Amino acid sequence: MSPNGTTRLFVLIMVCTVFATVCPAGPPDMLSADNTVFIAKKLMTKCYNKGYPLPKMTLLRNIFNNSNLFEGGRTVDQSNNFLSTFLHILDMVTGATNKNSQSPPRMEAAETRMWNSSNLPAVIRMMKNSSDPSCCYMKAFVAPLSWATLTAQSKTYFDSIDYNTLLWAAKPVLQDIPSTGMMLPARVDAHNMATMMNMLQEVYTSMTKEQKAEVFNWAKEQVLQNNFSCTMRPSSGPKSSEFKSNMTTKMNPSLGRKFLQRIQGCSSISECVDKLGPLACYYDATNLTSNTSKKLLSQLDDCDSPTAFKLKKRLVNSLITASSSAQDLHDLGRSVSLLSPKQLSEISVKNLKDVLQNVGPSVKWSRSQMRILVEKQLGGRKCGELSGQQLMELQSVAAGLPCCVVKNVKPQDILNNIETLKTISRHMRKGQLKAMLQGLSEKVHPSELVQKLSGPLLRSVSLKNLEKANITSLDQVENKTWRLPQAAYLAKKMYGLKKLQYRRLNSVLQGITCKMIDEVNGSYTLDMAESITETPQWLSEVQAQCAARKLFKTLENKTTDYFKNITAQELERIPTMLLLHLPPSKVKDLPDSVCEVFLNKMETANLTTLPPRSPSRPALAERALLCLPNGTSVSGLTTSDVLRLGPLLCELKPSTLLLMAPEVLKFSLQAMGPCEHIPQTHRADLIQLVNRVFGMPSNWTAETMESVGPLILLDENAPSTLPNKPWMKDVLVFLKPQLTQISDALRKKIFDLTTTTTSSTARKRQAVNGDTSSSSTEPTEAVIEELELDNVFWTTAELELMSNSTFLATVDILGLVPNYSSDQLEVLCRKAVEAFGPVSHMTESDIVQLGCIMQSFSNSELEMLPLSLDSLDEIDVCDWKGSQLPSVWKGVAKYNNLSAVLLGSAEMVQLSQFICGLNSSEISQLSVGAFSDAVGSMDGLQCPVEVLQQLKNVAVSAFGVPCNWTEAQVSDLDNIIAGLNGSEIASLSPSVFPFISKSCISQIPPEHFAALSVVQLEALGPVNAAMVTSEQRSMLTAEQLSILDKTAIGGLVDQRETLPIESGAPVLSLEGISTFMKPVLFLLIGFLLL
């Protein structure tokens, strides 16, 4: 049989299998998730619930009966059977089908054979390329057919293009139907395996744990069938030339080392070093050839383990010599950032330009490196003019340009290359962004700027200029990312113009208020709820609460005891994000008939918008337990049952966990390792339970530490008790990014583990030299580079041992630490003077390198420092004393020939917290126009209250009296709000309180905070309410405290017209739902792919 004939026969069988018998007219069993027609119906229901228009018959006939897509012998009736099947399912979705309706004719196998499988991808492409929104229904219809087509293959019947098309169409089956029973292809050829795995990784977060395990086991079999990898079949010998890792995600250190050992046991790694992928992060190589070193270096870009850092540094130093060619530099890739400033200074301008183009915008440079690179590019002309092309070529180095350079870039040179400008602006400092905008605004109208800008530059546009942009439609704003004050302004503008369309708001959602939500017409409430939850990253806790309240009230107005009698289909339509806010009493009332849908929703829920102390958390966990088959008897729970709980497992009490069977308890604790939130009251007992089940940490293996280590690290004292085992440092460094809070004790433990080897080596050297008088560890260049901010843990005695050469080589890194003690600063100050000479002789270059070490200088020394405005951004993060700020300002003013009256918006932004050093007379001289343009980029000011009060006076001159301030203005003013006195803060509209930044709350003087009304306290929202200090609480009345406590736990408040949303949407974790069940085993598949 010809290949084409084989293909046709295959699909004839497929379509016969899939659609030969259509489901009965009645609704299918909710548990039969693998039923193809049920899946199609469920996906089409999503289209219907989202408001997509129903497809017109002309479009349907064009798709299903297109003569170009089918080949000979087909009758009209036969082709129409496919269309009738679609229409029948559509009728079930829209409610047009009842139990007595007639099912479409059964399709006989002979008729089904007229559907040509090779043309199914062509049908999909027609749908994919159509702009008609009603195609949503047809895409839903072909999704399960496409997946069934892929999974039933035992041979490859499609070329790569068609295979990719089918995968694209099938994706919703796994992505939107998490309860779907997994049926994976019996065989996927090697050339299609990577594409299949990429799709599976994209839908990973919606899979159940069982599905993830099934994917892992399936992939192992695929690897064995396609190619015998040495990690799977060591006896047969590896095919190193074909070995490859497509995985880019971090791997557990213990697992990475085990895989590496397997490969080393059956193959020479040097033969496949360029294919190691993430395994390279744990490969400590020696005596490599130059060519092998280059290959290995390219594999280390995404590694951040201590071993990998040392290896990269060693490889770079071995590859670069004084006579290195442009190609040698090119081969370094992103590791070129490990070259010293001296090495960079020796690279020719031409080669440097090639290097910057090669590494792109993602490389991070140190201050000294940046200074060298900028000097070479500008050729000694500090404020030399750059063309737009030259600016684009600088890539990541653009962040080091003086503001005077970026301010003078011509608009026509950059506004026509928006994507590159967006990329470069990601690295630019706030002062640079404001300077560039200032220059552009002088030549381009704000309306054109807002239209063309994106990224950080757009978010730096002031409210004043945004108002001038004359935005009148959602078309101008919907596809851009706005900061909160801008979103608040735009939401209010669209609301006033009656143009709020929730599905199109995107980042503007941040600015909607409860009043706007409450005014949604009841018949559109569900559509509004579904729309705003499509972009959950822009919703705050208060917004979710407001939308949930509105939705629940609307539903309950329709039917008495709505949630007591809710059906599975009705519960399915409620967005999971809002269902989480269902009051505990109503959660308890949910009928058992909705348990399957409820568990499906909870299994993939993201709890970030639910306040940590919300009573809904334990209520949801309890209801989920009771929904499980064995939920009434915890001792009978299985591991599968536990996984159905999703993140609600993290909410279970340790006393409940203790009732589980031993193996299930052990499994549950391991599953809780990635929990983003463990109730504070559970933590002590949970840690005891972990020790009881797994033993004391001193006896743990690396694997145990990786899985349940995050649980014991909830105790801030735990790190100091951990053993100094060889693998401990790598594991702690691996776990660190996963922790919601990183204690100083954990950082100190990593410091101790890092310096232990150095200390041991030093003692041996001292013993050889006969010097045993000191037990202190001398800081070395390699250790200081590895420690970064953890250099804060060196003792003064150890810092004293640091050589002058080491200090000079690492001063950039040492200067990054913001919180040295006064004793440490005293030692570092002496080292600085030893290296650079007296403070009075230090150059601007020296000062830039010192960074936060400048805190050690006296006030008189600070006043004479050669500090440029461009250098202030680097030291803004340092823990400056309030008494030092005026001295820094005086030094900056003197060196830059500045005075308060001359400060423009860019200069104010560059000053950042050092604007707190101006005295009251100078603050009164600030330009009101420049201030209003700059204040939105001056966020996070930590000024003394007296200074905030003076800045508040400028704000009053700019925006009017506080009682008239809008949500956007309050958000823009940020911490300056803390400068309001009691009567002023009491005059603020309750609608603006959710827009007060959380960092501002603790800065409000307690006596002023006590002036807030109950309504204002209620409007703060859970995040802000949780920031109230004990001193502020002590000044409140019993009634105020009661309301504040209710607000902090997300308690339902009375719906008042003036109550808005909370300011700022908390960003959802980059790992989101997937961090609950860490996808280590799943992601290893990429490593195994051939």
Side-chain angles (χ1 to χ4, degrees):
M1 183 180 290
S2 68
N4 195 33
T6 303
T7 303
R8 289 179 191 147
L9 177 59
F10 167 67
V11 166
L12 304 178
I13 297 170
M14 276 308 309
V15 177
C16 178
T17 302
V18 176
F19 283 136
T21 304
V22 180
C23 276
D29 181 2
M30 284 295 295
L31 295 175
S32 61
D34 57 343
N35 184 288
T36 307
V37 175
F38 168 65
I39 295 173
K41 177 190 170 186
K42 193 166 185 179
L43 292 172
M44 289 166 71
T45 299
K46 288 179 176 287
C47 299
Y48 185 68
N49 290 343
K50 290 180 179 180
Y52 285 102
L54 298 178
K56 296 180 180 179
M57 191 56 69
T58 52
L59 177 63
L60 292 175
R61 290 197 175 103
N62 184 47
I63 294 290
F64 289 104
N65 298 337
N66 193 304
S67 60
N68 294 325
L69 299 178
F70 301 94
E71 297 181 4
R74 185 189 61 187
T75 69
V76 173
D77 288 341
Q78 290 167 344
S79 62
N80 282 345
N81 279 351
F82 293 101
L83 177 57
S84 65
T85 301
F86 172 85
L87 292 174
H88 179 71
I89 299 175
L90 186 62
D91 284 345
M92 289 194 290
V93 169
T94 60
T97 298
N98 57 46
K99 292 183 179 179
N100 297 319
S101 63
Q102 197 171 24
S103 298
R106 293 169 61 91
M107 291 183 289
E108 300 298 332
E111 296 174 351
T112 306
R113 291 189 181 96
M114 303 323 297
W115 181 282
N116 185 342
S117 146
S118 64
N119 290 323
L120 177 58
V123 173
I124 295 169
R125 279 191 285 271
M126 283 186 65
M127 299 175 184
K128 187 176 181 180
N129 295 331
S130 174
S131 60
D132 193 317
S134 67
C135 276
C136 178
Y137 296 94
M138 286 170 280
K139 292 173 184 176
F141 180 73
V142 300
L145 175 60
S146 299
W147 183 245
T149 301
L150 292 167
T151 55
Q153 308 182 63
S154 58
K155 297 173 109 182
T156 298
Y157 294 100
F158 303 100
D159 60 29
S160 295
I161 295 176
D162 285 350
Y163 194 89
N164 293 346
T165 300
L166 287 168
L167 273 180
W168 174 86
K171 182 177 175 181
V173 175
L174 298 179
Q175 185 177 44
D176 294 338
I177 314 292
S179 60
T180 299
M182 179 73 70
M183 180 177 287
L184 292 160
R187 176 72 185 274
V188 176
D189 285 350
H191 66 278
N192 287 328
M193 186 63 176
T195 307
M196 172 65 80
M197 288 307 302
N198 286 336
M199 191 276 282
L200 290 174
Q201 290 197 59
E202 288 175 10
V203 301
Y204 177 81
T205 57
S206 61
M207 288 184 187
T208 65
K209 187 69 172 182
E210 292 92 337
Q211 287 174 323
K212 297 166 189 174
E214 191 171 345
V215 167
F216 175 69
N217 293 326
W218 168 82
K220 286 195 298 185
E221 292 303 315
Q222 295 301 311
V223 171
L224 288 172
Q225 291 179 46
N226 287 326
N227 198 343
F228 295 146
S229 165
C230 70
T231 59
M232 293 294 173
R233 300 284 289 272
S235 59
S236 65
K239 298 185 179 181
S240 60
S241 62
E242 298 178 36
F243 176 84
K244 183 170 76 173
S245 169
N246 291 321
M247 175 184 155
T248 58
T249 306
K250 289 179 66 175
M251 183 185 295
N252 286 28
S254 61
L255 208 51
R257 293 187 191 283
K258 283 184 179 179
F259 270 89
L260 201 58
Q261 287 171 3
R262 289 191 182 185
I263 297 172
Q264 288 174 315
C266 62
S267 174
S268 171
I269 288 192
S270 61
E271 297 176 9
C272 56
V273 71
D274 58 334
K275 301 177 179 66
L276 285 177
L279 296 183
C281 302
Y282 306 102
Y283 180 46
D284 195 0
T286 55
N287 302 321
L288 297 177
T289 65
S290 175
N291 187 49
T292 304
S293 294
K294 292 175 182 178
K295 292 179 179 179
L296 178 57
L297 195 59
S298 69
Q299 299 290 295
L300 298 172
D301 281 344
D302 296 317
C303 300
D304 56 7
S305 69
T307 300
F309 177 81
K310 293 175 183 176
L311 178 57
K312 281 193 284 189
K313 189 81 172 177
R314 191 166 70 242
L315 291 174
V316 167
N317 288 334
S318 70
L319 290 171
I320 293 300
T321 64
S323 58
S324 293
S325 65
Q327 184 59 47
D328 292 331
L329 294 169
H330 186 276
D331 291 338
L332 293 183
R334 291 184 357 216
S335 293
V336 72
S337 63
L338 295 176
L339 293 177
S340 67
K342 183 177 183 300
Q343 288 172 312
L344 288 174
S345 67
E346 294 170 350
I347 300 175
S348 69
V349 174
K350 180 181 182 302
N351 285 348
L352 195 57
K353 179 180 177 181
D354 294 338
V355 166
L356 296 178
Q357 288 295 303
N358 177 43
V359 300
S362 59
V363 173
K364 185 177 180 180
W365 306 96
S366 72
R367 293 188 297 266
S368 296
Q369 288 175 318
M370 193 77 78
R371 179 178 53 81
I372 293 293
L373 293 171
V374 168
E375 285 179 358
K376 291 183 75 69
Q377 292 300 304
L378 294 180
R381 297 171 291 115
K382 182 175 180 179
C383 287
E385 185 174 313
L386 285 182
S387 67
Q389 180 62 33
Q390 289 174 311
L391 178 64
M392 302 305 180
E393 290 172 352
L394 283 177
Q395 298 282 341
S396 55
V397 178
L401 291 172
C403 285
C404 56
V405 173
V406 296
K407 182 178 180 179
N408 293 323
V409 175
K410 297 176 181 177
Q412 62 270 24
D413 285 351
I414 58 175
L415 290 182
N416 293 326
N417 195 348
I418 299 302
E419 280 306 309
T420 305
L421 181 59
K422 178 181 177 181
T423 301
I424 291 175
S425 67
R426 289 195 188 109
H427 298 272
M428 294 175 72
R429 306 185 305 272
K430 291 187 293 185
Q432 287 177 306
L433 294 169
K434 184 57 68 175
M436 179 174 282
L437 278 175
Q438 195 175 343
L440 293 174
S441 298
E442 293 172 358
K443 302 159 189 172
V444 181
H445 192 271
S447 60
E448 183 181 351
L449 275 182
V450 169
Q451 177 188 349
K452 292 188 174 181
L453 293 180
S454 60
L457 264 176
L458 177 67
R459 293 191 289 276
S460 297
V461 173
S462 67
L463 292 178
K464 180 175 68 175
N465 282 327
L466 192 58
E467 188 175 355
K468 293 178 182 178
N470 192 31
I471 293 173
T472 58
S473 75
L474 278 174
D475 293 335
Q476 297 170 274
V477 302
E478 64 179 318
N479 294 319
K480 295 178 180 289
T481 301
W482 306 93
R483 61 189 174 92
L484 179 61
Q486 295 171 325
Y489 169 81
L490 293 170
K492 195 163 191 174
K493 184 76 178 287
M494 294 299 106
Y495 172 77
L497 294 172
K498 301 187 183 304
K499 293 184 178 180
L500 274 184
Q501 297 179 42
Y502 287 93
R503 184 163 274 110
R504 297 178 59 192
L505 290 180
N506 295 317
S507 67
V508 178
L509 276 172
Q510 300 171 90
I512 66 171
T513 67
C514 278
K515 178 181 178 181
M516 298 174 190
I517 291 174
D518 287 341
E519 291 183 358
V520 172
N521 186 287
S523 60
Y524 296 105
T525 299
L526 186 57
D527 181 70
M528 175 274 296
E530 291 174 336
S531 298
I532 65 175
T533 54
E534 287 177 1
T535 51
Q537 68 271 29
W538 300 117
L539 292 180
S540 69
E541 291 179 0
V542 174
Q543 282 177 301
Q545 289 172 0
C546 285
R549 264 201 315 270
K550 172 68 175 178
L551 177 60
F552 301 157
K553 183 178 180 180
T554 301
L555 295 175
E556 290 177 314
N557 284 340
K558 292 181 178 179
T559 309
T560 304
D561 294 331
Y562 181 85
F563 287 100
K564 281 186 179 181
N565 302 301
I566 192 170
T567 66
Q569 186 175 7
E570 289 169 337
L571 186 64
E572 183 72 52
R573 291 200 66 182
I574 297 177
T576 302
M577 186 178 187
L578 303 188
L579 182 62
L580 296 173
H581 294 270
L582 194 64
S585 61
K586 299 186 188 301
V587 173
K588 185 178 180 180
D589 286 343
L590 291 174
D592 292 342
S593 59
V594 302
C595 273
E596 185 65 23
V597 174
F598 180 74
L599 286 173
N600 287 341
K601 284 179 170 290
M602 294 303 103
E603 192 174 358
T604 57
N606 191 310
L607 306 183
T608 31
T609 61
L610 199 58
R613 293 168 52 211
S614 169
S616 292
R617 285 178 178 261
L620 290 165
E622 182 179 353
R623 190 67 189 92
L625 264 182
L626 293 176
C627 273
L628 294 172
N630 302 306
T632 54
S633 176
V634 177
S635 61
L637 291 177
T638 65
T639 55
S640 297
D641 292 332
V642 168
L643 291 170
R644 296 301 307 275
L645 296 175
L648 292 179
L649 175 64
C650 307
E651 303 295 326
L652 295 186
K653 295 178 180 179
S655 58
T656 302
L657 295 170
L658 192 55
L659 298 175
M660 294 177 174
E663 286 305 310
V664 177
L665 172 58
K666 184 176 182 180
F667 176 85
S668 298
L669 291 173
Q670 290 173 322
M672 292 173 70
C675 286
E676 293 184 353
H677 170 72
I678 301 286
Q680 187 70 42
T681 54
H682 295 181
R683 295 182 181 183
D685 290 341
L686 184 62
I687 292 170
Q688 287 185 9
L689 187 56
V690 170
N691 291 333
R692 175 176 171 177
V693 173
F694 294 95
M696 298 306 293
S698 57
N699 298 320
W700 285 1
T701 62
E703 291 85 352
T704 303
M705 186 66 196
E706 287 167 352
S707 64
V708 295
L711 298 181
I712 65 161
L713 292 175
L714 292 170
D715 177 5
E716 292 190 359
N717 297 318
S720 60
T721 66
L722 295 175
N724 294 340
K725 293 186 177 181
W727 47 261
M728 184 61 75
K729 183 175 75 169
D730 276 347
V731 171
L732 291 179
V733 171
F734 172 78
L735 292 177
K736 193 175 173 183
Q738 304 174 33
L739 304 176
T740 53
Q741 290 185 332
I742 300 172
S743 66
D744 284 344
L746 176 58
R747 295 177 58 203
K748 179 63 164 63
K749 182 66 179 181
I750 295 174
F751 171 88
D752 291 338
L753 291 168
T754 303
T755 57
T756 296
T757 304
T758 304
S759 178
S760 175
T761 304
R763 280 194 293 272
K764 289 178 182 178
R765 185 171 64 249
Q766 291 168 357
V768 170
N769 296 332
D771 179 11
T772 59
S773 59
S774 174
S775 60
S776 298
T777 302
E778 176 186 346
T780 64
E781 181 178 346
V783 173
I784 290 172
E785 287 177 341
E786 182 180 338
L787 288 172
E788 296 182 329
L789 295 181
D790 288 343
N791 280 293
V792 72
F793 295 108
W794 292 109
T795 66
T796 53
E798 289 167 336
L799 289 174
E800 290 280 12
L801 293 174
M802 182 169 38
S803 67
N804 185 52
S805 60
T806 298
F807 179 82
L808 282 170
T810 61
V811 63
D812 262 348
I813 299 168
L814 294 170
L816 292 174
V817 178
N819 55 338
Y820 287 119
S821 68
S822 57
D823 290 339
Q824 289 173 313
L825 285 171
E826 186 178 339
V827 175
L828 291 171
C829 179
R830 290 199 295 270
K831 294 290 180 182
V833 171
E834 181 183 340
F836 300 118
V839 176
S840 58
H841 294 166
M842 289 183 183
T843 64
E844 182 178 342
S845 172
D846 299 333
I847 294 300
V848 168
Q849 293 181 73
L850 286 176
C852 292
I853 296 175
M854 277 189 280
Q855 294 172 99
S856 63
F857 298 158
S858 67
N859 286 345
S860 59
E861 289 173 328
L862 289 173
E863 291 181 19
M864 67 175 73
L865 290 179
L867 274 169
S868 68
L869 280 168
D870 290 305
S871 66
L872 294 182
D873 190 70
E874 298 288 353
I875 60 173
D876 180 54
V877 297
C878 309
D879 288 349
W880 294 96
K881 299 175 184 176
S883 60
Q884 292 178 308
L885 299 178
S887 298
V888 175
W889 155 244
K890 290 176 183 177
V892 170
K894 179 180 178 181
Y895 186 67
N896 296 275
N897 296 317
L898 284 174
S899 65
V901 73
L902 296 177
L903 292 176
S905 59
E907 289 76 22
M908 290 184 192
V909 174
Q910 285 179 284
L911 278 175
S912 193
Q913 71 165 314
F914 298 108
I915 202 169
C916 304
L918 276 67
N919 60 39
S920 58
S921 175
E922 290 172 320
I923 291 176
S924 66
Q925 298 174 36
L926 292 175
S927 163
V928 173
F931 176 86
S932 64
D933 189 48
V935 70
S937 298
M938 293 163 54
D939 52 303
L941 291 180
Q942 299 291 321
C943 301
V945 172
E946 298 77 19
V947 177
L948 291 175
Q949 291 170 346
Q950 296 297 321
L951 290 172
K952 176 261 300 182
N953 292 334
V954 184
V956 169
S957 299
F959 301 125
V961 292
C963 64
N964 294 327
W965 286 352
T966 65
E967 295 86 354
Q969 290 167 340
V970 165
S971 180
D972 224 25
L973 288 170
D974 198 62
N975 291 348
I976 294 175
I977 294 296
L980 297 176
N981 61 35
S983 61
E984 289 170 331
I985 199 169
S987 74
L988 291 174
S989 168
S991 68
V992 306
F993 275 79
F995 290 84
I996 297 175
S997 67
K998 68 177 184 179
S999 63
C1000 172
I1001 300 297
S1002 61
Q1003 295 190 60
I1004 301 173
E1007 62 274 16
H1008 297 168
F1009 190 82
L1012 296 179
S1013 69
V1014 169
V1015 176
Q1016 290 171 319
L1017 288 171
E1018 199 175 46
L1020 281 172
V1023 174
N1024 281 350
M1027 299 301 295
V1028 177
T1029 67
S1030 56
E1031 290 81 6
Q1032 291 169 328
R1033 290 178 61 88
S1034 68
M1035 302 286 289
L1036 301 180
T1037 66
E1039 183 185 15
Q1040 286 175 313
L1041 284 173
S1042 175
I1043 291 297
L1044 185 65
D1045 289 340
K1046 180 184 289 188
T1047 304
I1049 65 172
L1052 295 181
V1053 296
D1054 295 334
Q1055 296 199 30
R1056 294 178 170 86
E1057 184 173 313
T1058 55
L1059 182 64
I1061 62 157
E1062 179 208 1
S1063 66
V1067 179
L1068 296 183
S1069 168
L1070 282 183
E1071 297 179 357
I1073 302 164
S1074 62
T1075 45
F1076 172 66
M1077 297 297 184
K1078 193 66 180 176
V1080 175
L1081 295 180
F1082 171 73
L1083 291 173
L1084 278 174
I1085 302 308
F1087 160 67
L1088 298 172
L1089 297 184
L1090 303 175

